[in-house]
Amino acid sequence: MSPDITLEQWRTLISIVDAGGYAQAAEVMYKSQSAVTYAVQKIESMLGVKVFEIQGRKAILTPTGQMLYRRALALVNEASELEQAAHALSAGWEARINITAEILLPPQLLLTCMQKFGLESPHTRIELIESVLGGTFEALLKGEADIAISAQLPPGFLGDLLTRIKITAVAHTDHPLHHLEHTLTYKDLRAYRHLVVRDSGKSHGKSPVIVDVDQRWTVSQIATSIQAVSMGFGFAWLPEEHIKQELETGLLKPLKLLEGGTREVPLYLVIANPDFAGPGIKRLAEIIKKLVREIESNKSR
């Protein structure tokens, strides 16, 4: 069923309220006052309601008119957003972008980039999948990611080095490993629980920071690993950016290892299909690269 009242007539109702009267609305809309009056009469006759009542020289909304005004605002705004979305799509902006990102990348960084992109293309939907190791790899191979931030490059894909993530072996400040009176080796670690994050790929490959220990807990989220270490349940290699606050407060302390206490993992930004990538994908990738450069530049000062 098609509507009997046009968007232009609803816009006229809104203008009368916002401008403060029929004459003022006619001036704002560059219409005759009779045309403005007719639009309101059309709404009233089609719906069988009274929208305005005249008090002195002012047109005041009736209770029904107040409800229609609120709904008309929502309707006109939605129509405007639909037009903007259509213009964006006609210009080549994608309706949806899928990102698969290695969880080592600080989430606030990626969220900030998504927000910046959203200001430029608010109608492009973004689906973010946070993955671990093989999960990012597999998303690229299966064509499930438009943009990937990966610790490794699958065969047939090119990527730019985005950043290097510093990972440090840490434990709660009261963990027994901190009380040993010598520099630690992997042999010392074997007597304690190691906390690792499961590879999200279906092949479930091993983490590059796994130690051969008797006790191990494997979790699926890095936040869970941080929580477990912070509660004193074991040790783990964790990205320093994710545990900055815990390190600053002294809740967690780096383990004094003879070797391997600190590692760096490269992260690459990969556009899955650069030859056919739309402007939205290219722009979002550019925003990510630029923000990472700015952050690293500020750190080096």
Side-chain angles (χ1 to χ4, degrees):
M1 178 179 173
S2 60
D4 296 315
I5 301 170
T6 67
L7 277 175
E8 188 61 21
Q9 289 164 341
W10 288 121
R11 288 193 181 99
T12 302
L13 186 155
I14 293 169
S15 293
I16 294 169
V17 177
D18 293 348
Y22 285 75
Q24 298 91 325
E27 186 177 347
V28 169
M29 299 184 74
Y30 301 102
K31 291 184 176 183
S32 66
Q33 188 168 338
S34 61
V36 171
T37 301
Y38 174 77
V40 175
Q41 290 174 343
K42 181 73 172 177
I43 293 173
E44 291 180 329
S45 64
M46 294 301 300
L47 299 179
V49 298
K50 193 70 175 173
V51 177
F52 290 102
E53 58 184 8
I54 304 302
Q55 294 182 4
R57 294 185 177 182
K58 291 186 177 181
I60 306 298
L61 284 170
T62 64
T64 299
Q66 292 173 2
M67 181 275 290
L68 291 176
Y69 171 72
R70 291 194 299 271
R71 298 294 296 269
L73 275 176
L75 178 65
V76 170
N77 287 337
E78 186 173 346
S80 177
E81 290 175 359
L82 179 60
E83 290 173 6
Q84 292 175 17
H87 287 312
L89 292 174
S90 67
W93 289 86
E94 299 87 335
R96 172 174 163 173
I97 296 175
N98 295 325
I99 306 174
T100 302
E102 168 64 48
I103 61 168
L104 294 177
L105 188 73
Q108 63 269 26
L109 186 155
L110 200 50
L111 291 172
T112 299
C113 293
M114 290 165 60
Q115 170 63 8
K116 286 179 179 288
F117 177 80
L119 296 174
E120 298 181 24
S121 183
H123 300 290
T124 298
R125 294 185 177 186
I126 297 178
E127 180 166 336
L128 172 62
I129 298 174
E130 296 170 288
S131 58
V132 183
L133 296 171
T136 318
F137 192 102
E138 288 181 6
L140 279 170
L141 292 176
K142 291 180 179 180
E144 295 173 349
D146 299 307
I147 296 174
I149 298 172
S150 175
Q152 51 187 322
L153 291 174
F157 289 88
L158 298 175
D160 295 323
L161 179 63
L162 183 65
T163 187
R164 294 182 182 276
I165 300 296
K166 190 175 181 181
I167 299 176
T168 300
V170 296
H172 187 277
T173 187
D174 293 328
H175 194 280
L177 282 167
H178 290 304
H179 301 303
L180 297 179
E181 297 179 354
H182 59 265
T183 302
L184 305 175
T185 66
Y186 278 12
K187 186 177 180 180
D188 295 307
L189 302 182
R190 287 173 185 165
Y192 300 94
R193 183 182 295 117
H194 184 201
L195 296 155
V196 297
V197 181
R198 178 184 294 108
D199 186 335
S200 61
K202 288 186 178 179
S203 58
H204 296 304
K206 290 186 177 181
S207 164
V209 293
I210 270 187
V211 180
D212 185 16
V213 295
D214 295 329
Q215 302 178 61
R216 180 177 299 128
W217 285 359
T218 303
V219 299
S220 59
Q221 298 291 333
I222 200 165
T224 307
S225 180
I226 293 171
Q227 184 67 37
V229 176
S230 298
M231 294 174 73
F233 297 154
F235 68 91
W237 271 264
L238 295 170
E240 288 192 357
E241 283 296 321
H242 289 63
I243 55 171
K244 188 181 295 184
Q245 184 176 351
E246 288 84 354
L247 290 172
E248 288 175 353
T249 60
L251 177 64
L252 300 182
K253 287 172 55 179
L255 295 176
K256 295 180 180 180
L257 282 163
L258 179 64
E259 56 183 4
T262 300
R263 309 176 183 204
E264 283 192 348
V265 177
L267 291 183
Y268 301 91
L269 188 145
V270 182
I271 295 179
N273 198 337
D275 292 334
F276 296 97
I281 292 172
K282 292 177 181 177
R283 177 59 182 145
L284 181 52
E286 179 185 340
I287 290 172
I288 295 170
K289 291 177 184 178
K290 183 179 179 182
L291 184 58
V292 171
R293 286 196 301 266
E294 289 174 355
I295 291 172
E296 294 188 345
S297 176
N298 291 334
K299 284 182 180 178
S300 62
R301 289 176 184 173

